[in-house]
């Protein structure tokens, strides 16, 4: 028995038709204080990140995260080009990005929902932890 062929309707949508739903892009300039610290104006940056200090120079930044299992090696280059950073360590990105900041920022919105279509109110906010406590 022959298999029936389903008819499907293909709809072409132009970028112009899609663009009418886009909001105008807005740009938010960072504060001068933020720009000053972000541009590596520290004269000691080359001392801190010199080749003689590589890869352990990244340990300071890794130690700012909450590790559920500590790493034992900063960089394993034994299987090039498949290098492994922070070998043995386990982290939870969601915990590090949201949950560990709850005591200080728990009353602030973590995510702000932008609806589709955009005419709907965008008052949906997700606050608090990423999982129930």
């Amino acid at each position: 028995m022959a298999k029936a062929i389903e008819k499907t309707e293909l709809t072409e949508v132009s970028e112009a038709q899609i663009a009418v739903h886009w909001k105008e892009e807005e740009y938010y300039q960072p504060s001068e204080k933020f720009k000053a610290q972000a541009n590596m104006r520290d004269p000691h940056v080359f001392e801190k990140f010199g080749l003689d200090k590589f890869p352990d120079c990244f340990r300071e930044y890794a130690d700012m995260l909450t590790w559920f299992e500590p790493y034992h090696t900063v960089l394993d280059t034994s299987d090039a080009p498949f290098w492994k950073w922070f070998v043995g360590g386990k982290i939870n990105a969601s915990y590090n990005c949201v949950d560990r900041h709850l005591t200080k920022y728990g009353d602030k919105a973590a995510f702000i929902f932008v609806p589709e279509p955009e005419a709907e109110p965008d008052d949906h906010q997700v606050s608090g932890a990423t999982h129930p406590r």
Side-chain angles (χ1 to χ4, degrees):
M1 175 178 249
K3 191 175 185 179
I5 299 174
E6 291 183 30
K7 291 183 180 180
T8 58
E9 182 179 326
L10 297 176
T11 304
E12 293 286 324
V13 179
S14 71
E15 188 172 327
Q17 290 171 307
I18 295 170
V20 298
H21 298 286
W22 295 339
K23 289 184 179 179
E24 287 291 323
E25 287 187 28
E26 295 180 45
Y27 295 96
Y28 298 95
Q29 294 300 319
S31 69
E32 291 303 317
K33 181 180 177 184
F34 181 84
K35 287 193 273 187
Q37 65 84 34
N39 288 325
M40 286 200 206
R41 294 186 179 146
D42 181 354
H44 303 289
V45 72
F46 293 108
E47 294 170 20
K48 189 174 190 177
F49 290 97
L51 288 177
D52 60 327
K53 303 231 182 349
F54 183 85
D56 286 326
C57 54
F58 294 101
R59 185 181 303 270
E60 174 185 348
Y61 298 99
D63 291 345
M64 290 179 185
L65 299 171
T66 299
W67 291 84
F68 291 91
E69 289 185 27
Y71 59 90
H72 54 76
T73 305
V74 174
L75 178 62
D76 176 2
T77 61
S78 64
D79 189 20
F82 306 103
W83 294 2
K84 295 178 184 173
W85 286 91
F86 305 107
V87 180
K90 290 192 179 188
I91 63 172
N92 180 313
S94 177
Y95 178 85
N96 276 284
C97 292
V98 179
D99 295 359
R100 71 184 184 143
H101 302 286
L102 286 176
T103 54
K104 186 172 182 180
Y105 301 108
D107 61 339
K108 307 256 190 258
F111 303 98
I112 299 175
F113 173 76
V114 176
E116 181 74 28
E118 293 174 359
E120 292 180 19
D122 59 352
D123 56 6
H124 300 84
Q125 296 181 358
V126 177
S127 298
T130 56
H131 55 83
R133 293 232 178 240

